[in-house]
Amino acid sequence: MNGGTTPSTGPDLSARYGGRVPLQPHPDRLLPPNPDTRAVARRLFDDVRDLPLISPHGHIDPRLLADDEPFTDPASLLVTPDHYVTRLLHADGVPLHQLGLSDRDGVETAPPREVWRNFCERWHLFLGTASRQWIEAELHDVLGATVQPSAETADELFDELAARLNKPEFRPRALYDSFRIEVLATTDDPADDLRHHRALAADPTWRGRVVPTFRPDAYLDATRADWPQSLDRLASVSGIDTRDYDGLIAALESRREYFRDNGATATDHSAPDAGMEFLDTAEAARLFDRVRAGQADTGEARLLSRHLLGEMARMSSEDGMVMALHPGSRRNHHPDTLRRFGADTGHDIPLQMEFTRALQPMLERFGTNPRFRTVLFTLDETVFSRELAPLAGFYPSVYLGAPWWFLDAPRAMHRFRDAVTETAGFHRNAGFIDDTRGFCSIPARHDTARRVDAAHLAGLVAEHVLTEDDAHRVIRDLNDRQPRTAFRL
Amino acid sequence: MNGGTTPSTGPDLSARYGGRVPLQPHPDRLLPPNPDTRAVARRLFDDVRDLPLISPHGHIDPRLLADDEPFTDPASLLVTPDHYVTRLLHADGVPLHQLGLSDRDGVETAPPREVWRNFCERWHLFLGTASRQWIEAELHDVLGATVQPSAETADELFDELAARLNKPEFRPRALYDSFRIEVLATTDDPADDLRHHRALAADPTWRGRVVPTFRPDAYLDATRADWPQSLDRLASVSGIDTRDYDGLIAALESRREYFRDNGATATDHSAPDAGMEFLDTAEAARLFDRVRAGQADTGEARLLSRHLLGEMARMSSEDGMVMALHPGSRRNHHPDTLRRFGADTGHDIPLQMEFTRALQPMLERFGTNPRFRTVLFTLDETVFSRELAPLAGFYPSVYLGAPWWFLDAPRAMHRFRDAVTETAGFHRNAGFIDDTRGFCSIPARHDTARRVDAAHLAGLVAEHVLTEDDAHRVIRDLNDRQPRTAFRL
Amino acid sequence: MNGGTTPSTGPDLSARYGGRVPLQPHPDRLLPPNPDTRAVARRLFDDVRDLPLISPHGHIDPRLLADDEPFTDPASLLVTPDHYVTRLLHADGVPLHQLGLSDRDGVETAPPREVWRNFCERWHLFLGTASRQWIEAELHDVLGATVQPSAETADELFDELAARLNKPEFRPRALYDSFRIEVLATTDDPADDLRHHRALAADPTWRGRVVPTFRPDAYLDATRADWPQSLDRLASVSGIDTRDYDGLIAALESRREYFRDNGATATDHSAPDAGMEFLDTAEAARLFDRVRAGQADTGEARLLSRHLLGEMARMSSEDGMVMALHPGSRRNHHPDTLRRFGADTGHDIPLQMEFTRALQPMLERFGTNPRFRTVLFTLDETVFSRELAPLAGFYPSVYLGAPWWFLDAPRAMHRFRDAVTETAGFHRNAGFIDDTRGFCSIPARHDTARRVDAAHLAGLVAEHVLTEDDAHRVIRDLNDRQPRTAFRL
């Protein structure tokens, strides 16, 4: 058992923060306090608040839209699958099985109503977090809730929201329309047959645009114990023998083509760091064979992995798929939680990052190649001003990814703009990324980002660094032209 | 001789800044300039300004309260022992013996009146520093001064303050009462018999609560030349033979118990980095024997040291003492100053830090153990958003230490809150730490922190990220519940 | 060809931002938005706006003032030589030969009018950048332009500015007078005969003060392929045989003396990191011989380079020349651009930096030596609070260099002051550095820095951290006393 601030040990805290409090997200939330600056910010925000949403990177399961099954209840929608939420409750001492996650040790998983209650009782723990703002907007604007979550309102909210989620207008496709999403990119395994994307594309009643993103991490990481099985899977779907290096390369190229044929414009890559190698083919093949034969040590396997990532860059420079890099996370920091509850359970912890040296080989080769395009993300904000802005401020192929994950939050977004704009201006940005598996949070996330854009630009107008006219053009570009350009949408 | 901006070379500077200037710390200092936001901040500050002080980590000498001898003069109180003050004067070219420190080279130490003058003449050098704000409040609120220090006021201030310090109400115990300190933790050597803590506890006239903190650095650091003597000292006080590994472990456990019996709830650890090892006992014992026999190289000694720090984590997971980690300082950067004037003389310089990898072994073992609790401090603010907030935002045992030392200052505190809150909320914070050996600065330090809390929260209220009601609850929690919880007080 | 946002692919962008827009830099630009704080900032700025400019470090070619030839056209003045400008246009897809740079591959260089047009059409890309602010002020205050650059105004601006640049009052010396530069430091090769500095000094019609700065990088970096030729050049100008170590040392000392005789007060050093070694002479000589004989590996050559940098520190401690350190840039990140267009073409990318350990050997030896003075610059802002402020806050010889290069921009300057002042106060600063080869940008750069100083100090006054009186003294010191003191001008 974790000892923490569970209500049973700290009823006072919940009682003080709880009760029945109206849920009324303020219309001017995140806009600057100074009245004149706020007025500018309001005008800027009004200019983009209703623009369609462009979502070039995220983790929505395409089956959600293909099958269009209703969401069942608020816990299954907002709590259990959201590691931004479960992690903070876990830090408060609530075990993950009490938040609806299945426990390999067999401890009973709490039912949704109980999960929801565990969350509502601790809603105050989210004060000041990005999640609090998204969920408030989600509850209010999408799900029609009118009271803040608390111990007192938990049950009524559960019933109200579960009932509402069952209505036709709350099915995924209906919500998709109401969200005014222009394009939604999912994140997909190269071996995926993309049946849901294909089903949607073939469906005459569906007017949306859902595109896959090629995420080949498992096939590039030769240090993984299951790498051989991944290669077999790849061989199976591609019909190309991947037991040798040339086969692997050909299979990856084939799957990239398949993804492009199904609408993909980008690839996505996550690794502990951004390092790439560019070995000659003979050396790569030799390493490949050694790893497959179980003769390679970790250093060799890692070298091969870096080379394969370099091959992804080469392919991007040829096929034009935008290469999004999301490095710098130490995945599954807590082995016992991984074992019991699986991955993506709130304990991926960022690592210090370096891009200047790591990306030099890639940019040496492809940095000025007009077909090559890369979007760089980081969890280490020290690289914003030091490395990313200088790189994006020279290389035509490099775009600045939006503040990611732990940095996808208003204050961090302000720090990002503060750190990169004076070197790279506004037109090297790739635009906002919602990066979410929580479908109903998409509007709130984009809304938050637009408010922060408006606030930030209004500050620059107030300091006479930008004219208000230029600020309007910039905020439109940030939310329209930039993501389209950066991701070739 | 250091050539610097001593008045003898730059009278103009001192003359321009000096004179007789009233000392009037502004009642709204550190509160936001915007009038509406300031009003919110005032209300928030008023809510906590008179709360008792909880001081879970500091360096007050307990003898001060046990013996209750009067302070002698302002130089001995405010200048000579305060390396935050002497370091900046040293940077201006004033040798440390002119600031009252004893010089092993035998150069004559300046008497207190001269030390005080050297400080007052250079008071302008402290503009913008945290020290300036603390000392202004200290001089005004505690010591009753009414003019700013300067060349012109140096002598009168010296006489006035020395006289005042001699009065009964300025004795340490009387001041302790007036400071409304609820609990004060000192930092103590494991071999300390804690006589002063025991004397206070046994004193029927003393109602305060002064608790020791177990600081075992000297006994864990097997790279130190005096490590064997430290072990002998430990053996002597514990009555346990520390010439073998098991003995050392048993002696440390015994002293921890002694400390707990005398009120300690926490341990404290400072090392160049946060790395720990968890070797099996046989391997640890083998290393121990090699080091004691003088056969180990630095790498082995360091490995043993990291293992012993891991043993401290294990013990904390068993005995429940909160493990505060203060890593990342390169102690005694200037050897000649160390030689002449000793340690803690203003030239400990921070190092870059890493926690994600360094703490993974500890958190793998104890991170979700309800008995284990750790508070993490850093001098490298890059880890706030990147590592500390994500760790505290998942592990129930991890709390965020207040901005420490060079970062214990208003702007840095704002950056801290900015960087951690959006990931970890407010309830993973351990609360403010005064971390001082300067007794009379305690109220000023807590007052500064509360003002910054009020300003920061008011800013969030002004942006409608928090309601004012929730901001009131949060500021109370930050100054009451959080430190009690984090430090098990 | 680079695919980018050239007007031919994105006319819409240029059309939206372009047109005829009056160029009217706002008189309150960069001052705080809050009316009361702005009023304080205005008063502070007014106090220093007309102070003479002290420029202790920059890259103006002294020939410019010696020969006093007119500038030819706005492209040759503002675009082609300015890598802060060309880099962002390059990132937009404009090849450097279209910006007036000569291409070793023989591709035709665009003529100035076309270069100017390429720039004007993309002026919106500079929104939010430091360059935008400098160039607006430059165009308006120095060159008398009244419209913003755009596709529509490109030609008329070109003609207007080219004509104006041809007038007597726009010659370099006349501009120098109008800029009210009190002292201008250039950056010079140790083998330079300083003929232009000497010509100016000997010219009875010239009342300015232009001093050289000793920049010996090429002579210290033993890893460079051309190092032997550099040593030969040094031997030639000094008359001292540099084929052995003692000769190199003597030649460097001789050139330093020559520079001092011609007004130099400082040396300047750029290297990937700040590391120094202090080998004994025999070991250094041994390494030297090995490198010159082509027998040394890169590690040995680097070791020798670090030792030679340490020798520069030693010499500074003896001859009193201020040692400015500008480490942490990965020069020439893109080999093909280096090959075709040369160095300093916008692709020097910063590296992570470390000073605490790197400078310890130097500061151990010279840190408290009154003759030694060093000014530290960084491109990695993480070291501001962590390393530079603590070092400058103890060592009398250490001064804080102004935010450099990518960090020479308003928001970054605020972050700098935020990060260092609470530890080091204001009087460890070396003051603003324009660091430019763009002569006409000098006033704009200093003006920007003074506005930021005023804004920053006004914020502290508004929070009652400084009195307004003290803020006035501080802003004068930052712009007058500090640079004179730090650079011994």
Side-chain angles (χ1 to χ4, degrees):
Chain A
M1 266 298 304
N2 296 325
T5 58
T6 55
S8 58
T9 58
D12 193 54
L13 194 64
S14 170
R16 285 171 44 232
Y17 286 95
R20 291 188 65 80
V21 179
L23 172 58
Q24 296 167 323
H26 197 285
D28 285 340
R29 62 188 178 283
L30 297 176
L31 303 188
N34 175 297
D36 297 326
T37 316
R38 177 165 290 196
V40 175
R42 274 203 205 99
R43 292 192 285 270
L44 291 169
F45 178 56
D46 283 347
D47 210 9
V48 294
R49 70 190 303 162
D50 294 327
L51 283 182
L53 306 186
I54 297 168
S55 178
H57 175 77
H59 300 275
I60 301 301
D61 186 340
R63 175 197 299 263
L64 192 76
L65 293 160
D67 294 358
D68 203 28
E69 292 297 313
F71 298 103
T72 53
D73 64 84
S76 307
L77 178 67
L78 298 180
V79 181
T80 304
D82 187 343
H83 52 85
Y84 289 57
V85 172
T86 59
R87 75 187 179 208
L88 207 49
L89 299 170
H90 180 271
D92 186 55
V94 184
L96 294 179
H97 56 80
Q98 288 185 16
L99 299 172
L101 282 80
S102 299
D103 184 350
R104 206 156 293 161
D105 278 357
V107 179
E108 195 178 337
T109 302
R113 182 178 294 274
E114 191 181 321
V115 169
W116 182 249
R117 166 165 283 283
N118 288 336
F119 165 72
C120 291
E121 287 174 332
R122 294 171 179 77
W123 182 224
H124 51 273
L125 299 179
F126 291 86
L127 287 167
T129 65
S131 290
R132 174 102 185 191
Q133 301 188 48
W134 296 328
I135 293 172
E136 284 191 8
E138 210 170 330
L139 286 173
H140 183 268
D141 301 342
V142 180
L143 301 175
T146 56
V147 288
Q148 291 276 9
S150 71
E152 292 83 350
T153 63
D155 276 330
E156 78 184 72
L157 271 175
F158 187 85
D159 293 332
E160 174 190 342
L161 299 179
R164 198 164 292 136
L165 285 170
N166 213 23
K167 298 185 175 198
E169 62 267 36
F170 286 88
R171 292 211 171 196
R173 291 198 190 191
L175 288 173
Y176 184 99
D177 285 342
S178 75
F179 293 168
R180 287 189 326 270
I181 298 174
E182 182 175 304
V183 55
L184 181 80
T186 57
T187 299
D188 309 279
D189 187 301
D192 195 315
D193 59 11
L194 306 180
R195 68 184 63 182
H196 303 301
H197 299 80
R198 297 171 65 79
L200 287 167
D203 185 337
T205 71
W206 168 254
R207 293 180 317 265
R209 180 182 170 199
V210 178
V211 301
T213 304
F214 189 83
R215 170 88 158 236
D217 295 348
Y219 304 90
L220 308 185
D221 188 355
T223 67
R224 291 174 64 143
D226 62 354
W227 187 56
Q229 292 86 325
S230 296
L231 299 199
D232 292 345
R233 184 166 64 250
L234 195 65
S236 175
V237 301
S238 66
I240 297 169
D241 187 339
T242 59
R243 283 170 300 178
D244 66 19
Y245 174 76
D246 288 344
L248 172 58
I249 296 303
L252 289 166
E253 284 174 338
S254 169
R255 296 311 293 167
R256 290 172 71 110
E257 183 178 7
Y258 183 71
F259 268 59
R260 287 194 305 281
D261 290 345
N262 282 281
T265 69
T267 69
D268 194 82
H269 309 273
S270 176
D273 62 61
M276 282 175 221
E277 293 283 342
F278 293 87
L279 309 173
D280 62 49
T281 307
E283 169 70 7
R286 195 189 66 80
L287 269 175
F288 179 94
D289 292 339
R290 283 179 57 74
V291 175
R292 284 229 74 168
Q295 294 165 350
D297 60 32
T298 311
E300 290 176 283
R302 198 166 287 137
L303 181 61
L304 176 63
S305 305
R306 292 205 164 108
H307 170 81
L308 291 172
L309 187 58
E311 277 290 288
M312 292 297 106
R314 176 190 61 75
M315 292 180 199
S316 275
S317 78
E318 294 168 8
D319 63 24
M321 293 177 88
V322 178
M323 187 180 196
L325 292 178
H326 278 102
S329 168
R330 170 41 165 107
R331 303 274 180 185
N332 303 313
H333 197 263
H334 193 239
D336 200 58
T337 299
L338 170 66
R339 181 186 64 75
R340 292 177 63 183
F341 299 100
D344 298 319
T345 42
H347 54 109
D348 297 336
I349 309 292
L351 297 164
Q352 198 176 320
M353 268 305 300
E354 198 284 333
F355 286 90
T356 302
R357 288 193 168 105
L359 295 187
Q360 196 277 333
M362 176 183 87
L363 294 171
E364 175 171 356
R365 287 163 178 76
F366 311 120
T368 58
N369 178 327
R371 276 193 81 62
F372 184 65
R373 189 155 296 173
T374 182
V375 183
L376 305 179
F377 296 86
T378 182
L379 298 170
D380 179 357
E381 53 185 301
T382 70
V383 303
F384 286 157
S385 71
R386 185 179 70 224
E387 306 185 12
L388 299 191
L391 288 169
F394 173 76
Y395 288 103
S397 59
V398 175
Y399 282 79
L400 297 167
W404 170 40
W405 200 341
F406 300 94
L407 302 177
D408 179 10
R411 303 307 316 160
M413 291 171 175
H414 278 291
R415 296 195 300 272
F416 168 72
R417 293 239 178 270
D418 220 70
V420 301
T421 309
E422 294 179 321
T423 289
F426 292 104
H427 293 92
R428 304 306 303 149
N429 280 292
F432 181 66
I433 302 294
D434 54 66
D435 199 24
T436 186
R437 88 180 22 93
F439 186 66
C440 291
S441 75
I442 290 177
R445 288 167 176 259
H446 287 260
D447 184 77
T448 294
R450 290 167 176 186
R451 288 171 180 276
V452 172
D453 282 348
H456 197 88
L457 292 169
L460 295 176
V461 172
E463 281 193 332
H464 316 293
V465 168
L466 292 183
T467 63
E468 193 173 334
D469 283 351
D470 277 336
H472 277 274
R473 296 174 187 120
V474 165
I475 199 171
R476 287 196 74 98
D477 285 349
L478 289 174
N479 286 284
D480 186 351
R481 178 187 186 278
Q482 288 311 119
R484 293 180 201 283
T485 300
F487 287 95
R488 291 184 161 147
L489 292 165
Chain B
M1 264 298 304
N2 293 325
T5 58
T6 56
S8 59
T9 59
D12 193 54
L13 194 64
S14 170
R16 284 170 46 233
Y17 286 93
R20 291 186 66 79
V21 179
L23 172 58
Q24 295 168 323
H26 196 284
D28 285 340
R29 63 188 177 281
L30 298 176
L31 303 189
N34 175 294
D36 296 325
T37 315
R38 178 166 289 197
V40 175
R42 275 202 204 99
R43 290 192 287 270
L44 290 170
F45 178 56
D46 283 346
D47 210 9
V48 295
R49 70 189 304 162
D50 295 326
L51 284 183
L53 306 187
I54 297 168
S55 178
H57 175 77
H59 299 276
I60 301 301
D61 186 339
R63 175 196 300 262
L64 193 77
L65 294 160
D67 294 357
D68 203 28
E69 291 299 313
F71 298 104
T72 53
D73 65 82
S76 309
L77 177 67
L78 297 181
V79 181
T80 303
D82 187 343
H83 52 85
Y84 288 57
V85 172
T86 58
R87 75 187 179 207
L88 207 49
L89 298 171
H90 181 271
D92 186 55
V94 184
L96 294 180
H97 56 82
Q98 288 185 16
L99 299 172
L101 283 80
S102 299
D103 184 351
R104 206 154 294 162
D105 277 357
V107 179
E108 196 177 336
T109 303
R113 183 178 294 273
E114 191 180 322
V115 169
W116 182 249
R117 165 164 286 282
N118 288 336
F119 164 73
C120 290
E121 287 175 333
R122 294 171 179 76
W123 183 224
H124 51 273
L125 299 180
F126 291 86
L127 286 168
T129 65
S131 290
R132 174 100 185 193
Q133 300 188 50
W134 295 329
I135 293 171
E136 284 190 9
E138 210 170 331
L139 287 172
H140 183 267
D141 301 341
V142 180
L143 302 175
T146 56
V147 288
Q148 291 277 8
S150 70
E152 291 82 350
T153 65
D155 276 329
E156 78 183 73
L157 271 175
F158 187 86
D159 292 332
E160 174 190 342
L161 299 179
R164 197 164 292 135
L165 286 169
N166 213 25
K167 300 185 173 195
E169 61 268 36
F170 286 88
R171 293 213 171 194
R173 291 198 191 192
L175 288 174
Y176 184 100
D177 285 341
S178 74
F179 293 168
R180 287 190 328 270
I181 299 173
E182 184 176 303
V183 56
L184 180 80
T186 58
T187 298
D188 309 280
D189 187 299
D192 196 317
D193 60 12
L194 306 180
R195 68 183 64 182
H196 303 300
H197 299 82
R198 296 171 66 78
L200 287 167
D203 185 338
T205 70
W206 168 255
R207 294 181 316 267
R209 180 181 169 201
V210 177
V211 301
T213 303
F214 189 83
R215 170 88 158 237
D217 294 349
Y219 304 90
L220 308 184
D221 187 355
T223 68
R224 293 173 61 140
D226 63 354
W227 188 56
Q229 290 86 327
S230 295
L231 298 200
D232 291 345
R233 185 166 63 250
L234 195 64
S236 175
V237 301
S238 66
I240 297 168
D241 188 340
T242 58
R243 284 170 300 180
D244 66 18
Y245 174 76
D246 287 345
L248 172 59
I249 296 303
L252 289 165
E253 283 174 339
S254 169
R255 296 312 292 167
R256 289 173 70 110
E257 184 177 6
Y258 183 71
F259 267 59
R260 287 195 306 280
D261 290 346
N262 283 281
T265 69
T267 68
D268 194 81
H269 308 272
S270 176
D273 62 62
M276 282 176 222
E277 294 282 343
F278 293 87
L279 309 173
D280 63 48
T281 308
E283 170 70 9
R286 196 188 65 81
L287 271 174
F288 180 93
D289 292 339
R290 283 179 57 75
V291 176
R292 285 227 75 166
Q295 294 165 349
D297 61 32
T298 311
E300 291 175 283
R302 198 166 288 138
L303 181 61
L304 176 63
S305 305
R306 293 205 164 108
H307 171 80
L308 290 173
L309 187 59
E311 278 291 287
M312 292 297 106
R314 176 190 62 74
M315 290 181 200
S316 275
S317 77
E318 293 169 8
D319 63 23
M321 293 177 88
V322 178
M323 187 180 197
L325 293 178
H326 278 102
S329 168
R330 171 37 165 109
R331 302 275 180 186
N332 303 312
H333 197 263
H334 193 240
D336 200 57
T337 299
L338 170 66
R339 182 187 63 77
R340 293 176 62 182
F341 299 101
D344 298 319
T345 41
H347 54 109
D348 296 335
I349 310 293
L351 297 165
Q352 200 177 320
M353 270 302 302
E354 197 285 334
F355 285 89
T356 302
R357 289 194 167 104
L359 295 187
Q360 195 276 333
M362 177 183 85
L363 294 171
E364 174 171 355
R365 288 163 177 75
F366 312 120
T368 57
N369 179 325
R371 278 191 81 62
F372 184 66
R373 190 154 296 173
T374 183
V375 183
L376 305 180
F377 295 87
T378 182
L379 299 170
D380 178 356
E381 52 184 302
T382 69
V383 303
F384 286 156
S385 71
R386 185 180 69 225
E387 305 184 13
L388 298 190
L391 288 168
F394 173 77
Y395 288 104
S397 59
V398 175
Y399 282 79
L400 298 166
W404 171 39
W405 199 341
F406 301 94
L407 301 177
D408 180 11
R411 302 307 316 160
M413 290 171 175
H414 278 291
R415 297 195 300 270
F416 168 73
R417 293 239 178 269
D418 220 69
V420 301
T421 310
E422 292 178 321
T423 289
F426 292 104
H427 292 90
R428 305 306 303 151
N429 281 292
F432 180 66
I433 300 295
D434 53 65
D435 200 22
T436 186
R437 88 180 21 93
F439 186 67
C440 290
S441 75
I442 291 177
R445 287 168 176 260
H446 286 260
D447 184 78
T448 294
R450 290 168 176 186
R451 288 171 180 275
V452 172
D453 281 348
H456 197 89
L457 292 169
L460 296 177
V461 172
E463 281 193 334
H464 317 291
V465 167
L466 292 184
T467 63
E468 192 173 336
D469 283 351
D470 277 337
H472 277 274
R473 295 175 187 118
V474 165
I475 200 172
R476 288 196 74 98
D477 284 349
L478 289 174
N479 286 284
D480 186 352
R481 177 187 187 278
Q482 288 312 120
R484 295 180 200 283
T485 300
F487 287 94
R488 290 185 162 145
L489 294 164
Chain C
M1 266 298 306
N2 294 324
T5 58
T6 54
S8 58
T9 58
D12 192 55
L13 193 64
S14 171
R16 284 171 45 233
Y17 286 94
R20 291 188 64 81
V21 179
L23 172 57
Q24 295 167 322
H26 197 284
D28 285 339
R29 63 188 177 280
L30 297 175
L31 303 188
N34 175 295
D36 296 326
T37 317
R38 178 166 289 195
V40 176
R42 276 204 203 99
R43 291 192 287 271
L44 291 169
F45 178 57
D46 284 346
D47 210 8
V48 294
R49 70 189 303 162
D50 294 328
L51 284 182
L53 306 186
I54 297 168
S55 178
H57 175 76
H59 298 276
I60 301 301
D61 186 339
R63 174 196 302 261
L64 192 76
L65 293 161
D67 293 358
D68 203 28
E69 291 299 313
F71 299 103
T72 53
D73 64 83
S76 308
L77 177 67
L78 298 180
V79 181
T80 303
D82 187 343
H83 52 86
Y84 289 56
V85 171
T86 57
R87 75 186 178 207
L88 207 49
L89 298 170
H90 180 272
D92 186 55
V94 184
L96 294 180
H97 56 80
Q98 287 185 16
L99 299 171
L101 283 80
S102 300
D103 184 350
R104 205 155 294 163
D105 277 358
V107 179
E108 195 177 336
T109 301
R113 182 178 296 273
E114 191 179 320
V115 169
W116 182 249
R117 166 164 286 281
N118 289 335
F119 165 71
C120 291
E121 288 175 331
R122 294 170 181 75
W123 183 223
H124 51 273
L125 299 178
F126 290 86
L127 286 168
T129 65
S131 290
R132 173 101 185 192
Q133 301 188 48
W134 296 327
I135 293 172
E136 284 191 9
E138 210 170 330
L139 286 173
H140 182 267
D141 301 342
V142 180
L143 301 175
T146 55
V147 288
Q148 291 275 10
S150 70
E152 293 82 350
T153 65
D155 276 329
E156 78 183 72
L157 272 174
F158 187 86
D159 293 332
E160 176 190 340
L161 299 178
R164 197 163 292 135
L165 285 169
N166 213 23
K167 298 184 173 197
E169 61 267 36
F170 285 88
R171 292 213 171 195
R173 291 199 190 191
L175 289 173
Y176 184 100
D177 285 342
S178 73
F179 293 169
R180 289 190 325 271
I181 298 173
E182 183 175 305
V183 55
L184 181 80
T186 58
T187 299
D188 310 280
D189 187 300
D192 195 315
D193 60 10
L194 306 180
R195 69 183 63 181
H196 302 301
H197 300 81
R198 297 171 67 79
L200 287 167
D203 184 337
T205 71
W206 169 255
R207 292 182 317 265
R209 179 181 170 201
V210 178
V211 302
T213 304
F214 189 83
R215 171 86 159 239
D217 295 350
Y219 304 90
L220 309 184
D221 188 355
T223 67
R224 292 174 62 141
D226 63 354
W227 189 56
Q229 290 86 326
S230 295
L231 298 198
D232 291 346
R233 185 166 64 250
L234 195 64
S236 174
V237 301
S238 66
I240 296 168
D241 188 339
T242 59
R243 283 169 301 178
D244 66 18
Y245 173 76
D246 287 344
L248 171 59
I249 296 303
L252 290 165
E253 283 174 339
S254 169
R255 296 311 294 166
R256 289 172 70 110
E257 183 178 6
Y258 183 70
F259 268 58
R260 288 195 306 281
D261 291 345
N262 282 281
T265 69
T267 68
D268 194 81
H269 308 272
S270 176
D273 62 62
M276 283 175 221
E277 293 284 341
F278 293 87
L279 309 173
D280 64 47
T281 307
E283 169 70 9
R286 195 189 66 80
L287 270 175
F288 180 95
D289 292 340
R290 284 179 57 74
V291 176
R292 285 229 74 168
Q295 295 166 348
D297 60 33
T298 310
E300 290 175 284
R302 197 165 289 136
L303 181 61
L304 176 63
S305 305
R306 294 206 163 107
H307 171 79
L308 291 173
L309 187 60
E311 277 291 288
M312 292 296 105
R314 177 189 61 73
M315 291 180 200
S316 274
S317 78
E318 293 169 7
D319 63 23
M321 294 177 87
V322 178
M323 187 180 196
L325 292 178
H326 278 102
S329 168
R330 173 33 168 110
R331 303 275 180 185
N332 304 313
H333 197 264
H334 193 239
D336 199 59
T337 299
L338 169 66
R339 182 187 63 76
R340 292 176 63 183
F341 299 100
D344 298 320
T345 42
H347 54 109
D348 296 335
I349 310 292
L351 297 164
Q352 199 176 320
M353 269 304 300
E354 198 284 333
F355 285 90
T356 302
R357 289 194 167 104
L359 296 188
Q360 195 276 332
M362 176 183 86
L363 294 171
E364 174 171 358
R365 288 163 176 76
F366 311 120
T368 58
N369 180 326
R371 278 192 81 62
F372 185 66
R373 190 154 296 172
T374 183
V375 183
L376 305 179
F377 296 85
T378 182
L379 299 169
D380 179 356
E381 53 184 303
T382 70
V383 303
F384 286 157
S385 71
R386 186 180 69 226
E387 305 185 11
L388 298 190
L391 288 169
F394 173 77
Y395 288 103
S397 59
V398 174
Y399 283 79
L400 297 167
W404 170 40
W405 200 342
F406 301 93
L407 301 177
D408 180 9
R411 302 308 317 161
M413 291 170 174
H414 279 290
R415 295 195 302 271
F416 168 72
R417 293 238 178 271
D418 220 69
V420 301
T421 310
E422 293 179 323
T423 289
F426 292 104
H427 293 91
R428 304 307 303 151
N429 280 293
F432 180 66
I433 302 294
D434 52 67
D435 199 25
T436 186
R437 87 179 23 94
F439 186 65
C440 291
S441 76
I442 290 176
R445 288 167 176 261
H446 285 261
D447 184 78
T448 294
R450 290 168 175 185
R451 287 171 181 276
V452 173
D453 281 348
H456 197 89
L457 292 170
L460 296 177
V461 171
E463 280 194 333
H464 317 292
V465 168
L466 292 184
T467 63
E468 192 172 338
D469 283 351
D470 277 336
H472 277 274
R473 296 175 187 118
V474 165
I475 200 172
R476 286 196 75 97
D477 285 348
L478 288 175
N479 285 284
D480 185 353
R481 176 186 188 280
Q482 290 309 121
R484 294 180 200 282
T485 301
F487 286 95
R488 291 186 161 146
L489 294 164

